[in-house]
Amino acid sequence: MRIRGDGGGDEEEEAAMAVVSALPQHLVFAYYITGHGFGHATRALEVVRHLIAAGHDVHVVTGAPEFVFTTEISSPNLHIRKVLLDCGAVQADALTVDRLASLEKYHQTAVVPRESILRTEVEWLNTIKADLVVSDVVPVACRAAADAGIRSVCVTNFSWDFIYAEYVVVAGHHHRSIVWQIAEDYSHCEFLLRLPGYCPMPAFRDVIDVPLVVRRLHKSRSEVRKELGIKDDVKVVIFNFGGQPAGWKLKKEWLPDGWLCLVCGASETQELPPNFIKLAKDAYTPDLMAASDCMLGKIGYGTVSEALAYKLPFVFVRRDYFNEEPFLRNMLEHYQCGVEMVRRDLLTGHWKPYLQRAITLHPCYDGPINGGEVAAHILQGTAVGKKYISGKLSGARRLRDAIVLGYQLQRAPGRDVGIPDWYSVSEKEIGVRPAPTYHEVNGSAESSFEDFEILHGDIQGLTDTMAFLTSLSGLVGNDPRSPEKQSRERVAASVFFDWEEEIYVARAPGRLDVMGGIADYSGSLVLQMPIREACHVAIQRSNPMKQKLWKHTQARQLANGGAVPLLQIVSFGSELSNRAPTFDMDLSDFMDGDKPISYDKAKEYFSQDPSQKWAAYVAGTILVLMTELGVVFTDSMSILVSSSVPEGKGVSSSASVEVASMSAIAAAYGLNIPPRDLAILCQKVENRIVGAPCGVMDQMTSACGEANKLLAMICQPAEVKELVSIPTHIRFWGLDSGIRHSVGGTDYGSVRVGTYMGRKMIKCAASDLLSESLPSCSPIQSGNTNSDEYEEHGVDLLKSEASLEYLCNLPPHRYEAVYARDIPEIITGDAFLEKYGDHNDAVTTVDPKRSYCVKAPTRHPIYENFRVEAFKALLTAAKTVEQLSALGELMYQCHYSYNACGLGSDGTDRLVNMVQEVQHRKTSQDGGPSLFGAKITGGGSGGSVCVIGKNCLKSSEEIFEIQKRYKAATGYLPIVFEGSSPGAGKFGYLKIRRRST
């Protein structure tokens, strides 16, 4: 046994044992267990068992069934109190978390009755005379303990502030107070006993790492098999999804011949085939796992820890939106214990290749599994006053922007990303694969981009393109069976290209929103800069009979009657996200008879498995080409996607993937699509198939941009006005706040709805004014010397405003003079629908139950268009400080207009404020400021800010200073985006073939 923490190793362990040996006879523990699933209860059981064995009383506060505890512990010292103080993640089924419902249920369970809960818990804790409160990992328990004057400790591998933070991105930032409250509750905890496979847990002040907590075995493999009547040589898989979801009908042919399946959690009425065995509700799972040859189930702490402990190969299917999963999955795969099954194959019964692969694994976890005993010793010592943690904080009590509001680990090829200490995973402690080295990402030391013959196109000196080709070269000859650990995405990619045939490569950059932003969908002029970071896509066409297939894909094709055109995609960079690294589908799935399926059906298709929803950005380009251009695809395709544009930073990672994918497909199939047209087609992918209501500026910049120039575009719908060279004395930077941004999130969508509501109100008001003015023909403005001429002009104005297509065509003075006073600040959806009918936006819907901010979203694009026009004109003005100050002021105005719409964030505000502090501070040095302005970018609600300054050494130093200050304040080191690169149209495409050796 070894206690690992900031305070030490063996000495700390000996001290803990010494304290325990000197303990008084009796202690009282209050052990709170979260309402999410059985896994928390089963691991808490193991700690509770050791505490009771030591002679102490344990009061368990739980919503789990009593039998979970009473079948293992028969003691008068165990007291069970059935109370639910949180709800965990609300699951729509065994594999899907409902993010909005989770936040709403937590609000009803823990926020609304909070004061009553705290009073009740404090009174109860005092009544039982608790010596220590233990939480796994109920937030309010820590606050109740503090109010009662009792020390508290948490035992967990994840915390709810981290889990819910990602839900806030989708559900809307009006829910973020829930995350803040949870984090604040956890901060009252004295320290965290952290379990292997842990997530980032920023709210805890100090940490002690303990071994795996797993339940002990009661029976041997042979004893269990004898009781079940199963021979020793029969292959057995245990089916463990924590309860059977409705609609799953298991079939005999899903198992390999001679196999049996033990089914956990089957309903009383469910009928099973003869090779499936229904287990009792209270069956002791660890014994059954140890008696099986592999397990099929979903990842959770309980299943992963026990699979590792008992060296059981685990075939897993991803759960949607449960953010602890990537960390547990990496640990599982590191110890050669995991095989991922595609959800579609789970539901359609294509199990055989996965099960047969699983039994070839050799799980190698050799760490300690006595975490329950270790945790119990520490808890006993803490209860009698032992201090396990030094006075120095271990670095996790900063409850600020990037931490709480959805910071997510990003690993981009060739880029080292600054990760806060408490977000860093110690590979030595939990065995997670370390960050990939340059050669792991970009190929072996011997591989080189020169290994390819370039048959068409030009690398244009782009180092990232060289690195991508080197990465491709590194896949050649890669042996997926090599004992050396490899990422699954590289293993998958290494087997699906025919290196003797041609491969097409396209490249599309992300973009920095200099001015314009969300006004794009209102028809504004926008100014966008393509950034240095880009997405590369490699594609190879092949005859369906000759395409190299993954084993599970091959098995599914054989079951469906033979070779058909197939799409296989590998996405690099999925290792620490919760998306699957591979995707495959029959291209016939895109057909409905002799026509392509509708976009709505495609959206539904890709939404079935959110871990693979990312594939909509790539595969969706195929359907759009089929639907809009009538392209017929009869070949199979293998596509590799590798992007260095980080996700959720507001720099258009999705647009770069769409544009690079469609460009590569167009090149491979000889389609000559002008960059502007290609961008509009890619917007259809995002709007209609992905379901994100974005404008077109992102795709236009990625497709039509040029290095070191601003793309000036009027979004009506997508007209490139000109490419504006960035003056040599001016420089732009992007600074990432660390707060994850999503144009698919609720805040972005609700602001868009409010904008279109405002447009509808203005059109209706103009129509009313027009109808009033026409019969009477009275002058609109009295005192005009030429009233007839004005009348005619005024009527024409009202006519154009009554048919207003884009808000940005309404000048600010007309808005203020005629319409501003009648636009409400807020309106409910049902009130709007009753009065106006519809908001006339094809990509959003009005929720009758929701309130929408209208005035600020309406005003923003009207004034933003004016600001962008002024900004563009100023770029060509004389090179003076006044010019830079005016440009910066326009950016500041844009930033605060975003905030008024509800699209700001604490992190982006902090960065903008830091730029202002640096700009206005007085220094002894002459020369004045070098930074002049900053603004939030893109869809807002997090992401990055754009900064403008002089192109000089001092400005770069000040950007570096702001970067360090932000890290000191929040713990997150911002990514700095600097430099520019060509758009996809300017890059063209490469046609390459591996040189013969």
Side-chain angles (χ1 to χ4, degrees), residues 316-376:
F316 62 86
V317 181
R318 293 180 192 236
R319 288 186 291 176
D320 306 335
Y321 314 125
F322 203 70
N323 300 340
E324 71 166 330
E325 186 169 294
F327 302 89
L328 293 170
R329 186 178 70 242
N330 284 338
M331 184 169 68
L332 193 69
E333 292 177 347
H334 177 82
Y335 291 110
Q336 301 175 41
C337 197
V339 174
E340 180 175 353
M341 177 184 283
V342 176
R343 180 181 303 190
R344 183 168 70 252
D345 288 340
L346 170 75
L347 300 178
T348 56
H350 293 288
W351 295 8
K352 295 176 183 177
Y354 299 98
L355 300 180
Q356 289 163 342
R357 164 67 178 146
I359 59 174
T360 67
L361 297 181
H362 299 285
C364 59
Y365 182 77
D366 57 358
I369 58 173
N370 62 335
E373 180 186 4
V374 172

Side-chain angles (χ1 to χ4, degrees), residues 398-514:
R398 303 185 184 100
L399 312 178
R400 289 295 183 267
D401 323 315
I403 306 163
V404 176
L405 296 182
Y407 170 68
Q408 190 178 47
L409 289 173
Q410 298 290 344
R411 285 184 176 173
R415 176 195 290 282
D416 293 325
V417 178
I419 298 172
D421 294 341
W422 54 89
Y423 277 64
S424 297
V425 178
S426 171
E427 288 84 19
K428 291 181 180 177
E429 292 179 70
I430 69 165
V432 173
R433 184 184 298 109
T437 65
Y438 177 85
H439 291 310
E440 284 178 296
V441 172
N442 297 299
S444 67
E446 293 76 26
S447 59
S448 166
F449 70 92
E450 294 179 347
D451 293 340
F452 289 104
E453 179 184 1
I454 297 178
L455 306 174
H456 176 276
D458 182 6
I459 292 177
Q460 301 180 26
L462 293 165
T463 56
D464 62 338
T465 302
M466 296 177 192
F468 177 70
L469 295 181
T470 302
S471 175
L472 272 184
S473 178
L475 298 174
V476 180
N478 182 66
D479 184 359
R481 297 166 296 181
S482 168
E484 183 180 338
K485 291 185 177 64
Q486 306 173 68
S487 66
R488 286 192 302 123
E489 56 201 29
R490 288 193 66 81
V491 170
S494 66
V495 297
F496 82 158
F497 281 137
D498 182 341
W499 300 108
E500 296 181 0
E501 299 297 327
E502 297 166 351
I503 296 172
Y504 294 81
V505 175
R507 177 192 183 277
R511 66 97 187 94
L512 184 63
D513 168 32
V514 176

Side-chain angles (χ1 to χ4, degrees), residues 600-830:
D600 287 339
K601 284 186 178 179
K603 182 180 176 182
E604 183 181 348
Y605 178 91
F606 288 108
S607 297
Q608 291 173 352
D609 184 354
S611 73
Q612 292 192 321
K613 189 175 180 180
W614 62 266
Y617 294 101
V618 183
T621 62
I622 296 172
L623 179 62
V624 168
L625 291 171
M626 293 166 63
T627 303
E628 305 299 328
L629 301 185
V631 182
V632 177
F633 295 99
T634 56
D635 288 341
S636 292
M637 296 184 221
S638 298
I639 298 178
L640 173 62
V641 181
S642 178
S643 181
S644 63
V645 185
E647 299 170 35
K649 308 301 182 188
V651 288
S652 299
S653 58
S654 58
S656 65
V657 171
E658 293 155 359
V659 172
S661 298
M662 189 174 286
S663 298
I665 293 167
Y669 285 85
L671 307 175
N672 184 19
I673 307 174
R676 175 190 176 275
D677 296 347
L678 187 136
I680 293 172
L681 292 171
C682 288
Q683 187 199 15
K684 288 185 182 292
V685 176
E686 188 132 6
N687 286 171
R688 304 296 303 278
I689 299 175
V690 176
C694 68
V696 74
M697 71 176 190
D698 298 354
Q699 290 82 3
M700 285 291 290
T701 309
S702 190
C704 306
E706 292 186 18
N708 301 311
K709 293 182 180 180
L710 298 181
L711 182 79
M713 181 181 76
I714 298 175
C715 303
Q716 299 189 15
E719 303 305 324
V720 176
K721 194 170 184 179
E722 62 182 297
L723 288 157
V724 182
S725 295
I726 300 172
T728 55
H729 69 292
I730 292 176
R731 190 170 184 180
F732 296 102
W733 297 264
L735 280 172
D736 161 41
S737 68
I739 298 172
R740 188 170 176 80
H741 144 87
S742 169
V743 294
T746 302
D747 294 304
Y748 178 91
S750 67
V751 169
R752 177 166 175 150
V753 170
T755 304
Y756 276 82
M757 284 178 165
R759 188 191 68 165
K760 183 66 174 282
M761 291 175 183
I762 288 171
K763 291 173 69 174
C764 290
S767 295
D768 292 343
L769 288 170
L770 188 62
S771 62
E772 290 172 11
S773 64
L774 285 176
S776 62
C777 293
S778 58
I780 294 175
Q781 180 177 328
S782 61
N784 195 312
T785 56
N786 193 347
S787 60
D788 290 341
E789 183 182 337
Y790 182 82
E791 248 178 64
E792 185 178 346
H793 177 60
V795 168
D796 286 344
L797 265 178
L798 289 174
K799 283 181 177 178
S800 68
E801 289 160 4
S803 59
L804 187 68
E805 185 174 1
Y806 296 101
L807 262 181
C808 290
N809 290 339
L810 184 68
H813 75 272
R814 283 291 292 172
Y815 170 73
E816 295 294 348
V818 183
Y819 304 108
R821 71 177 73 89
D822 296 322
I823 303 295
E825 294 286 347
I826 295 173
I827 192 171
T828 61
D830 55 359

